[in-house]
Amino acid sequence: MKNLNGTWLKIKTGAEYCRPEFIEFSNDQINHYELKLKSGNELSKVRTKWDEKLSESKYELINDNRLRIFRMGKTHTVLSETESKTEDTEFATDYEKIEPTKTELEPEKIETLEFKAEWKNEKIPLKFNEILDSTVIQEINKRMKRSGRKLVLENLQGTYFASIFDNDERVKLIGIKEIDEHKAILFGFPEEPYEIRAE
């Protein structure tokens, strides 16, 4: 068995609405963690009540830093207004091991940088502390007293994340593998390529 030591980020797909999560392995246990803000942009992990046994889990290592765990669940299908069916389904969840970000830059400098990345034909602007929504959406948000979507630089155990906040709630983490003044290597994507370059 390869080395499972360290902290692993749960990779969310577009269909999931859960908060960012991490796992760690201890003996035969898979321990689950949520995040809380420690101070400034520094995060800490808080253990949840959910633990699993590794020996009872089905998993595969996709590469040295990517793990896929298979869990059984239910799929509910609505067939009509009065009829539905439920089936046992195996769900796969990917996790990526976090490593300290390679950089010589201070957080204050990183927050001033601006990059663009592309993943699956979607343009991803990497610009911290600014509202990501269009002006039309911003106007709607104002009327609804919502703060909108924003990218915030955060740090857990030396790993920097571009954290996406929606209405002041952390909804997604994009890991930063390395960053300098000219480029950033981002990780944490649900499909290949698992990491992308932003310039």
Side-chain angles (χ1 to χ4, degrees):
M1 183 172 91
K2 296 228 180 167
N3 187 356
L4 296 177
N5 289 343
T7 303
W8 300 73
L9 167 67
K10 178 183 179 181
I11 306 302
K12 289 170 62 171
T13 63
E16 291 175 285
Y17 297 104
C18 59
R19 291 185 177 145
E21 264 181 52
F22 291 84
I23 59 171
E24 290 181 352
F25 298 90
S26 172
N27 299 320
D28 190 35
Q29 291 293 112
I30 304 172
N31 302 319
H32 292 255
Y33 296 87
E34 291 179 337
L35 291 176
K36 77 171 187 181
L37 191 59
K38 196 170 170 184
S39 65
N41 73 347
E42 198 172 328
L43 299 167
S44 63
K45 302 187 311 285
V46 180
R47 193 160 163 185
T48 68
K49 293 180 180 172
W50 182 29
D51 291 330
E52 303 169 274
K53 285 197 180 306
L54 181 62
S55 57
E56 295 171 4
S57 301
K58 179 180 169 188
Y59 65 92
E60 80 178 281
L61 276 159
I62 307 302
N63 60 44
D64 287 345
N65 294 322
R66 190 118 177 161
L67 173 71
R68 184 167 293 153
I69 299 178
F70 301 90
R71 297 180 181 97
M72 292 306 292
K74 304 273 186 200
T75 302
H76 300 281
T77 308
V78 176
L79 303 171
S80 69
E81 284 184 26
T82 57
E83 201 179 347
S84 65
K85 69 176 182 177
T86 303
E87 297 172 293
D88 289 332
T89 308
E90 184 176 72
F91 294 96
T93 304
D94 281 12
Y95 296 85
E96 187 142 347
K97 187 186 282 192
I98 66 168
E99 308 268 349
T101 300
K102 293 178 189 161
T103 189
E104 294 178 8
L105 304 176
E106 294 297 319
E108 296 76 21
K109 176 62 179 173
I110 293 172
E111 288 180 315
T112 67
L113 301 176
E114 203 176 315
F115 299 111
K116 283 194 174 60
E118 188 173 318
W119 188 78
K120 299 280 182 196
N121 296 322
E122 183 184 344
K123 302 265 189 262
I124 303 169
L126 195 64
K127 190 173 186 181
F128 294 102
N129 303 318
E130 291 198 17
I131 301 296
L132 301 174
D133 299 312
S134 68
T135 41
V136 173
I137 298 294
Q138 287 182 46
E139 285 303 315
I140 294 168
N141 282 341
K142 268 186 209 165
R143 286 198 297 266
M144 297 175 70
K145 295 184 173 35
R146 289 175 54 88
S147 54
R149 293 184 320 128
K150 189 160 87 170
L151 206 59
V152 175
L153 183 69
E154 295 187 302
N155 171 4
L156 176 68
Q157 300 171 188
T159 304
Y160 286 111
F161 291 95
S163 300
I164 299 173
F165 279 76
D166 190 2
N167 201 30
D168 297 323
E169 186 177 336
R170 186 184 299 105
V171 292
K172 187 162 181 61
L173 297 177
I174 298 171
I176 303 173
K177 186 174 185 179
E178 78 184 69
I179 190 166
D180 59 33
E181 293 192 32
H182 308 290
K183 69 169 185 327
I185 308 296
L186 309 175
F187 71 88
F189 296 92
E191 298 170 33
E192 292 191 87
Y194 297 135
E195 60 181 47
I196 59 172
R197 184 183 175 102
E199 295 179 304

